[in-house]
Amino acid sequence: MSETDVDLEARLAEQDSFEPPESFVEQANVSDPEIYDEFENNWPECWEAAADLLEWTDDYDQVLDDSNPPFYQWFTDGELNASANCLDRHLEERADEAAIEWVGEPVDEDNRTYTYGELHREVNEFAAALRDLGVEEDDVVTLYMPMIPELPVAMLACARIGAPHSVVFAGFSADALATRMNAADSEYLVTCDGYYRRGDPLDHFDKATTGLDGVEHAVDTVVVERLPSEDAFPNTWPEQTRGYDELVENHAGETVEPVDRDAEDMLFLMYTSGTTGQPKGVKHTTGGYLSWAAWTSQAVLDIKPDDTYFCSADIGWITGHSYIVYGPLALGTTTMMYEGTPDYPDRNRLWEIIEEYEANQLYTAPTAIRAFMKWGEEYPDSHDLSSLRLLGTVGEPINPRAWKWYYKHIGDESCPVVDTWWQTETGGMMLTTLPGVGEMKPGSAGPPLPGLSADVVDMSGSPVGAGEAGYLVVNKPWPGMLRTLYNNDDRFINEYWREYSNVDSDDSADWVYFPEDGAKLDEDGYITVLGRVDDVLNVSGHRLGTMEIESAIVGVEGVAEAAVVGGDHDIKGEAVYTYVITEDGYEETEELREAIIEGVEDAIGPIARPEAVIFTPELPKTRSGKIMRRLLENIANAEDLGDTSTLRNPEVVEDIQRKVQSD
Ligand code: 6R9
């Protein structure tokens, strides 16, 4: 441990709360603590504040229609267009200001600035092209692209013509793409030929076309040619495939009138992992979602039009949707997009970018912060990061040590840190301190935002006392909430509401949203989120369903049964541990282990790659035949196993334990 580390440890270790820096408060978008009472006393009308950040082509009648819970409607009968809100209305003042600063790979060769004027032009051209291809209002367009500017262009082009997009993370596998396109009945795909990872070109089109083989209906495909000819792969394009550049050129200079969308019309779908093997198609709307993304960007990230704001997430996840694309662009700021990884070509990369672009905010994930910490503070310390005004984290719980390291070494103790808890389903931030108002407590996300109501309850739904652990619930609807799971209202109710609501009631007060996270409340109303209580793992901030991974594994020849659990991991937070029983006649070989790993990567993607594959003749089961996952978790983490007497087969536990330890 270096000396500065020791000092930091000594000075900060004791401190468990931090006041927002005075210099920050003075300039903050929100600095009046009264906002909490004001919003509570004026609910739901308080959310006009969010709607007011947008431009509406037709005013809404009612802020909230809660007559048919949990199918809430926000800003009823209002009309607007998300693309017009993110682009057109900024043109008068900001046409020549940067909307997107794209930092591409390879290093220094390929950076692009899109001004609002340029972004507006390209979005219009691509919107015209999509129409020409036959895309109509309400058709779902799948976007399967990495962090290239054409991804937000395509998102906004879809929004412009009222076609909901469904972005599939580029790191997801061909199978995952097919599952999502089938589930959404999506007949259009925009993808790319390839992209760079750590300097090497990667063939993405091959994966996309393999995915298309699994799609049950005809698909029109558009391909962005990202790679220069010397790095391009020799792919032949199937029929019904068009080049992005050619399409945009054919429509050069065209404009497309933004389609008026009802506030409740779908803006996009985003698939996320759940308890079953089938991903959930989370539906977000135009008015509620966009106003939520904009309001939280302003209140929590403190975004102002003249900022250069940097979120290091991938647009393929909800964080990138809300806080790289929609929120920042709705506010007319400059949003950065980084194509590469933080440690290529070396560990200075992120800090160089922040220094060069003079970024004002950094919004990243605990897994990244833990990696920075491990690499050492010499990397950030050798860069001028004084442009930073605010730091944020999202995706998983952050341990106080990582929080303090971030605060000290990245923020120089002069930037507030917002630890923002939220989910794909919530559309935007829910629990966090307001950076210009609330005291920060490392490790605790904070109170619910003004106008929100959350609690920690026991199994029966009664609030637990301060300091006790329980289940997080949200008691009132909010504009950014998901409206349903695509084509599956029943699953929507079962997954999120049934647990703690009186589902027979028409009274909104009887409906409680259950995010499936465990949490703890302190005496000041701050909530520490402990992690998922369903069968979902959080690997490097990415949600992975254990069922999805298990079904990939049992699909591998030679596997009879599999159980997947999360094991602790220094950097990733959680890692995928798999316990596998082979089929009769199959050996527990290295080849089978590799086939299993490959099977998981094919079904989901490299992010789900198992950390360990443990062969076992049996899985520990209760007398009623349920797999005891808790035990498997304890084994993965080399923890005390507690009482195993309720098992049908206690002897198997020791056997597995021995195997894990010898691995
Ligand atoms: C935005 C996003 C959601 C799950 C969520 C929770 C975990 C997110 C957190 C956090 C503790 C935070 N999570 N932020 N846990 N503190 N600040 O990550 O969405 O991919 O849907 O994941 O992530 O478990 O339920 P999503």
Side-chain angles (χ1 to χ4, degrees):
M1 216 187 259
S2 71
E3 213 169 41
T4 46
D5 243 358
V6 175
D7 291 348
L8 163 74
E9 218 79 5
R11 186 157 46 85
L12 297 183
E14 299 295 302
Q15 196 174 340
D16 48 22
S17 74
F18 295 77
E19 288 299 328
E22 201 48 49
S23 55
F24 181 89
V25 176
E26 279 163 15
Q27 59 79 60
N29 285 339
V30 179
S31 58
D32 185 356
E34 287 298 307
I35 186 171
Y36 287 95
D37 285 343
E38 268 169 32
F39 274 43
E40 190 172 333
N41 298 335
N42 186 30
W43 192 91
E45 279 70 30
C46 56
W47 289 120
E48 285 173 11
D52 285 348
L53 293 174
L54 305 180
E55 191 175 87
W56 299 76
T57 46
D58 201 358
D59 288 341
Y60 51 88
D61 298 333
Q62 220 182 330
V63 171
L64 168 66
D65 175 354
D66 60 1
S67 58
N68 182 27
F71 300 98
Y72 296 98
Q73 304 203 346
W74 287 87
F75 311 122
T76 57
D77 292 331
E79 286 186 359
L80 76 168
N81 181 284
S83 141
N85 268 284
C86 290
L87 300 169
D88 304 51
R89 67 175 172 140
H90 304 313
L91 289 182
E92 200 171 315
E93 289 191 5
R94 309 193 60 81
D96 297 326
E97 304 291 334
I100 297 178
E101 289 284 10
W102 181 67
V103 182
E105 296 290 344
V107 180
D108 293 335
E109 278 177 32
D110 204 1
N111 299 336
R112 273 187 248 166
T113 301
Y114 285 74
T115 64
Y116 273 93
E118 288 163 344
L119 188 61
H120 177 261
R121 192 178 65 222
E122 191 156 326
V123 166
N124 272 274
E125 290 167 350
F126 193 55
L130 286 176
R131 271 222 178 126
D132 210 28
L133 283 178
V135 179
E136 291 178 4
E137 201 173 337
D138 294 319
D139 287 346
V140 176
V141 178
T142 302
L143 310 177
Y144 186 43
M145 280 182 269
M147 288 290 282
I148 56 177
E150 289 79 2
L151 174 54
V153 168
M155 290 164 78
L156 294 168
C158 286
R160 198 162 189 89
I161 60 175
H165 52 73
S166 165
V167 178
V168 177
F169 174 57
F172 273 141
S173 68
D175 284 0
L177 172 68
T179 310
R180 286 157 178 76
M181 290 193 74
N182 285 326
D185 227 344
S186 173
E187 296 177 347
Y188 300 92
L189 172 68
V190 186
T191 184
C192 70
D193 59 347
Y195 56 104
Y196 293 98
R197 254 304 169 260
R198 296 177 189 282
D200 295 325
L202 212 113
D203 192 344
H204 188 63
F205 190 70
D206 182 50
K207 206 162 69 164
T209 43
T210 308
L212 285 176
D213 289 342
V215 177
E216 291 145 6
H217 49 264
V219 175
D220 283 297
T221 305
V222 177
V223 184
V224 177
E225 287 166 277
R226 158 78 185 100
L227 297 174
S229 51
E230 67 271 19
D231 280 339
F233 294 92
N235 283 312
T236 30
W237 291 0
E239 269 181 51
Q240 285 185 287
T241 304
R242 309 283 297 274
Y244 175 94
D245 287 341
E246 176 208 319
L247 285 177
V248 166
E249 266 162 42
N250 289 346
H251 295 275
E254 282 180 34
T255 53
V256 173
E257 196 55 31
V259 168
D260 281 340
R261 296 285 277 170
D262 186 277
E264 283 294 311
D265 280 342
M266 172 159 57
L267 178 60
F268 67 86
L269 266 180
M270 166 127 260
Y271 282 89
T272 187
S273 294
T275 308
T276 71
Q278 193 63 22
K280 306 188 272 199
V282 171
K283 176 184 162 181
H284 281 297
T285 58
T286 310
Y289 169 82
L290 192 63
S291 60
W292 195 247
W295 188 83
T296 49
S297 294
Q298 191 184 55
V300 181
L301 298 170
D302 199 50
I303 289 178
K304 305 181 168 73
D306 288 334
D307 283 340
T308 297
Y309 156 83
F310 185 15
C311 167
S312 70
D314 191 292
I315 295 176
W317 306 104
I318 191 71
T319 302
H321 276 54
S322 303
Y323 300 114
I324 295 178
V325 181
Y326 285 112
L329 293 179
L331 297 179
T333 197
T334 300
T335 184
M336 300 198 50
M337 261 182 91
Y338 175 45
E339 188 183 27
T341 49
D343 58 348
Y344 180 82
D346 60 43
R347 293 168 173 180
N348 287 299
R349 185 68 169 137
L350 220 55
W351 319 122
E352 274 166 10
I353 295 173
I354 290 172
E355 185 169 18
E356 182 181 339
Y357 288 85
E358 299 182 36
N360 302 111
Q361 293 92 344
L362 175 64
Y363 191 32
T364 189
T367 183
I369 298 167
R370 289 192 298 266
F372 302 150
M373 238 173 109
K374 191 169 158 218
W375 298 341
E377 60 257 27
E378 55 269 31
Y379 299 101
D381 284 357
S382 59
H383 295 273
D384 178 3
L385 305 180
S386 61
S387 57
L388 288 172
R389 189 171 83 237
L390 173 137
L391 303 174
T393 127
V394 59
E396 45 174 327
I398 182 165
N399 49 310
R401 209 168 101 80
W403 191 103
K404 289 174 185 178
W405 188 92
Y406 192 35
Y407 179 71
K408 161 92 174 119
H409 290 288
I410 310 304
D412 196 26
E413 298 179 67
S414 61
C415 302
V417 175
V418 283
D419 174 2
T420 60
W421 175 88
W422 58 289
Q423 314 179 288
T424 304
E425 291 87 343
T426 68
M429 298 159 179
M430 301 291 283
L431 306 178
T432 171
T433 50
L434 284 169
V437 175
E439 187 183 57
M440 301 167 271
K441 300 187 189 184
S444 173
L449 281 169
L452 289 183
S453 168
D455 213 338
V456 180
V457 299
D458 64 17
M459 260 150 85
S460 69
S462 313
V464 301
E468 281 173 54
Y471 302 96
L472 179 63
V473 292
V474 182
N475 300 313
K476 279 185 193 166
W478 66 100
M481 68 198 302
L482 80 165
R483 295 303 190 267
T484 191
L485 293 177
Y486 193 55
N487 285 338
N488 206 340
D489 290 347
D490 287 344
R491 190 173 177 197
F492 171 61
I493 293 176
N494 291 334
E495 292 263 357
Y496 305 107
W497 304 93
R498 190 170 293 282
E499 198 79 26
Y500 292 110
S501 307
N502 173 5
V503 294
D504 298 320
S505 168
D506 286 339
D507 183 351
S508 163
D510 292 330
W511 287 80
V512 174
Y513 174 81
F514 179 43
E516 301 185 270
D517 270 316
K520 231 159 78 176
L521 186 75
D522 77 6
E523 58 289 347
D524 298 323
Y526 277 48
I527 296 174
T528 296
V529 178
L530 302 168
R532 306 285 307 186
V533 293
D534 56 358
D535 295 326
V536 171
L537 306 185
N538 192 328
V539 178
S540 300
H542 302 318
R543 257 165 85 168
L544 299 173
T546 50
M547 283 286 289
E548 277 172 83
I549 305 175
E550 283 169 12
S551 73
I553 297 175
V554 295
V556 173
E557 191 189 326
V559 173
E561 203 180 343
V564 170
V565 300
D568 295 342
H569 190 280
D570 280 357
I571 303 291
K572 298 178 185 173
E574 265 187 313
V576 177
Y577 275 70
T578 66
Y579 297 87
V580 175
I581 303 177
T582 55
E583 237 169 337
D584 281 352
Y586 284 86
E587 300 281 313
E588 299 175 355
T589 59
E590 209 41 50
E591 285 75 46
L592 183 56
R593 191 188 303 266
E594 272 161 31
I596 289 166
I597 292 175
E598 208 174 297
V600 174
E601 292 200 346
D602 285 351
I604 300 158
I607 47 165
R609 186 187 169 89
E611 184 82 12
V613 177
I614 301 135
F615 290 115
T616 170
E618 265 183 78
L619 293 167
K621 288 192 177 162
T622 60
R623 284 172 209 280
S624 61
K626 285 209 177 91
I627 299 174
M628 281 280 274
R629 286 164 197 284
R630 176 186 63 77
L631 269 181
L632 293 172
E633 271 169 26
N634 292 350
I635 295 173
N637 296 329
E639 285 163 356
D640 182 31
L641 300 186
D643 183 13
T644 57
S645 63
T646 54
L647 288 181
R648 190 162 62 185
N649 50 356
E651 67 291 346
V652 69
V653 172
E654 265 177 47
D655 188 52
I656 303 178
Q657 226 172 359
R658 251 196 318 274
K659 281 195 161 160
V660 174
Q661 281 157 7
S662 67
D663 257 4

